[in-house]
Amino acid sequence: MIGRLQPPPDAPDCLRPRPACDRVVNTWLRRAVGYTAFLLTVMTLTAVTYQWGMGTFEDDPVTFLHSLQVVVEMFTTTGFGGDSPWASPQMNAFIIVMDLVGMALLIGALPVLATPFLEDAFSTTIPTAIDDALTDHVVICSYTSRVDALTAELDTLGVPYVIVEPDRTIATELYESGHRVIRADPESTAGLAAAGLPDARALVADGDDQVDASIVLAAKELAEDVAVISVLESPDRARYHRLAGADQVLSPRSLLGESLAAKVTTALTAEIDEAIEISDDLELAEVPIHHGSALVGSTLADSGIREETGVNVIGAWVRGEFTARLSPDDTLTDGTVLFVSGHPEQLEQLLAMTQAGLRQFGAGETIVVGHGQVGQTVTSALAEAGVPYSTIDRTAAAEVDVVGDATEPETLVEAGIEDARTVVLALPDDTTTEFATLVIRDLAPETEIIARVEEQPSIQKTFRAGGDYVLSLATVTGRMIASHVLQGRDVLSLDQQVEVVRMTASKLGGRTVGEVDIRAKTGSTIVAVERNGEVVTDVGPDTRIKADDSLVIAGTDESVREFERRFG
């Protein structure tokens, strides 16, 4: 049962005894007291000066209390009492200066004293702690764009979670969009205690590497037995996160870079390095139809794929759209990525068909754009495979061949875009990736574009811009985390466009595949059935499923989640 988040009492922003909340209140009190003390000091000095000036320059001695009254009227712009006008130029100059000082102090008081109360009165009140009834949940510290993929997986399986977010604006947006979120400091034991960490199943730290290490230390201090998963930007820091106590250290950027590089090296080695092994005689693989392949322009029926190779075409990606119900009359185009199953030898035969007519790699025919963590992983994998490449980056470095902006045609021409067979876009900004894809496609219509994007919504836009293969860091990260957090669910494809999971579906027990019609209802496909230690690979409409079978399901992330919602 998912517990409810308890909203705090009304303003000022949670005055209940919660450590994170106390810190906010104490900060406001400290500022308010300091400003008030400063204001009283200025008013006192001004009153003393006014009292002296009236006696010296106006020959009209007044009491200190009278002077203080005049100063208050001056600073609040309510008037000057009966003392005006003044005869001496010295007092008139003094009054002018004090009017300006009073206005500045009044304006300065608004953000210090008034604004916090107004924000609390009119803004959404974010919870600062969860209900004690919430247990066996996942604590996520803190929000990034990659969190959405993970929370979608958790929601599908009914696994509760809470996001610990210290930023007020981000926390408000998450809360108003329906996420379970508390506003607290994830680096403190108090903030993690407010998230119910001792009763959680796991904690996920996915942000800055140094901040994540601090979160891991705090988590292990508070709840040593709770599994802690740390997501790294730089794999070189994995050792320190393990020393901090992380149970799992994940490096999705490195995995993403290796996957992008594999798309390039597959065409050279004529071997599929990223096949998903289901059994000794069954593998799943994504096989792109390259520009210049003899398959381009033929229908699936006329291609001879089934007859010549024996592979089973499960589905295909066409410009970012995946379909699991291919028609024999569907036309194969360059950039289409076939998702197939078969023996290793059969997959290699299919790979040879997709490569027909391709020229061999030559010097400079692979361009890697971006030399960050993902880009460096790509170039390392290409170098290991003996694939020549050149690199583009905005910042000069020893490994960068062309320094410049990849969205500028001049930069791409200097890097040899006319002779490039493949361009790998490993840029950290999705908007730049999309625009660079448009420029490259205009300059080199036959060049294959393999792209990395940060967020899932950018996948479709990059395909529409002309990308041939696009994979998001959010997808890879979400799958990696889910594979370690979720029980009874084995994610087999972390770094491919198609998600493949192994799971049980007791609701299908006693029914045949044809009766359920998985493809029509969910868009996913049952690829294999594991039963009593054996793998049934010949899955057809008459295959009857038992309640304790493990099913291998393939499809898009959304279609696999739909299968889990209906039958998991």
Side-chain angles (χ1 to χ4, degrees), residues 218-489:
K220 286 303 180 181
E221 179 181 349
L222 178 65
E224 188 174 355
D225 296 334
V226 174
V228 175
I229 302 170
S230 182
V231 182
L232 290 177
E233 295 182 359
S234 174
D236 297 337
R237 296 175 175 175
R239 178 172 181 268
Y240 308 113
H241 283 237
R242 293 191 181 95
L243 288 175
D247 298 285
Q248 296 288 339
V249 180
L250 309 180
S251 184
R253 284 175 176 78
S254 295
L255 181 62
L256 181 62
E258 293 168 359
S259 177
L260 296 179
K263 305 306 177 196
V264 179
T265 59
T266 293
L268 177 65
T269 61
E271 295 179 357
I272 298 178
D273 297 328
E274 291 193 308
I276 304 168
E277 185 175 337
I278 305 301
S279 65
D280 292 338
D281 58 353
L282 179 66
E283 292 182 348
L284 308 179
E286 292 178 334
V287 180
I289 299 177
H290 300 282
H291 294 264
S293 168
L295 294 178
V296 174
S298 65
T299 65
L300 184 61
D302 296 336
S303 66
I305 290 177
R306 178 68 177 177
E307 295 77 11
E308 295 184 28
T309 68
V311 301
N312 178 33
V313 180
I314 300 172
W317 288 90
V318 182
R319 297 303 178 199
E321 295 288 344
F322 181 80
T323 175
R325 301 179 70 89
L326 286 175
S327 166
D329 298 326
D330 287 339
T331 302
L332 302 177
T333 61
D334 48 25
T336 296
V337 179
L338 300 176
F339 185 60
V340 298
S341 64
H343 302 295
E345 296 79 8
Q346 294 173 328
L347 298 181
E348 290 184 10
Q349 291 175 6
L350 174 61
L351 183 61
M353 293 181 66
T354 64
Q355 291 176 306
L358 288 177
R359 63 184 187 270
Q360 292 297 313
F361 280 90
E365 288 192 359
T366 299
I367 300 176
V368 180
V369 181
H371 200 60
Q373 182 59 52
V374 174
Q376 292 177 33
T377 304
V378 172
T379 55
S380 296
L382 294 179
E384 185 176 348
V387 178
Y389 62 87
S390 59
T391 57
I392 301 175
D393 198 85
R394 289 177 176 269
T395 305
E399 300 83 3
V400 176
D401 299 304
V402 178
V403 178
D405 186 350
T407 63
E408 298 293 338
E410 296 79 9
T411 302
L412 295 167
V413 170
E414 182 181 353
I417 190 65
E418 297 94 340
D419 299 323
R421 197 194 71 81
T422 305
V423 175
V424 180
L425 294 176
L427 298 166
D429 179 72
D430 289 358
T431 301
T432 305
T433 298
E434 294 159 8
F435 197 86
T437 302
L438 291 169
V439 177
I440 294 168
R441 183 56 67 218
D442 179 58
L443 292 173
E446 297 301 316
T447 296
E448 290 181 302
I449 302 175
I450 300 172
R452 157 264 173 106
V453 294
E454 187 77 15
E455 302 180 9
Q456 287 177 308
S458 299
I459 295 177
Q460 189 60 43
K461 289 195 291 182
T462 305
F463 271 117
R464 189 172 292 116
D468 295 292
Y469 190 92
V470 185
L471 193 59
S472 79
L473 181 63
T475 298
V476 174
T477 304
R479 289 178 185 174
M480 291 182 75
I481 297 173
S483 67
H484 288 86
V485 170
L486 302 177
Q487 300 173 354
R489 186 176 187 272

Side-chain angles (χ1 to χ4, degrees), residues 486-557:
L486 302 177
Q487 300 173 354
R489 186 176 187 272
D490 185 14
V491 182
L492 303 178
S493 60
L494 298 176
D495 56 347
Q496 300 194 31
Q497 290 178 323
V498 175
E499 183 174 24
V500 181
V501 300
R502 181 189 290 113
M503 59 177 295
T504 58
S506 57
K507 294 180 181 179
L508 297 180
R511 305 170 69 181
T512 66
V513 173
E515 291 173 354
V516 180
D517 199 3
I518 299 297
R519 289 192 180 187
K521 292 180 179 178
T522 68
S524 58
T525 302
I526 300 179
V527 177
V529 178
E530 296 185 4
R531 178 182 301 158
N532 299 326
E534 297 182 357
V535 179
V536 179
T537 59
D538 186 14
V539 179
D542 297 329
T543 302
R544 191 169 299 277
I545 302 170
K546 296 183 179 180
D548 57 351
D549 285 344
S550 289
L551 306 180
V552 178
I553 309 297
T556 63
D557 293 74

Side-chain angles (χ1 to χ4, degrees), residues 14 16-26 128-129 183-185 188-194:
C14 63
R16 60 178 175 174
R18 294 289 182 183
C21 217
D22 289 345
R23 187 162 54 255
V24 174
V25 174
N26 290 337
T128 57
R183 186 179 169 214
D185 181 7
S188 68
T189 55
L192 297 179

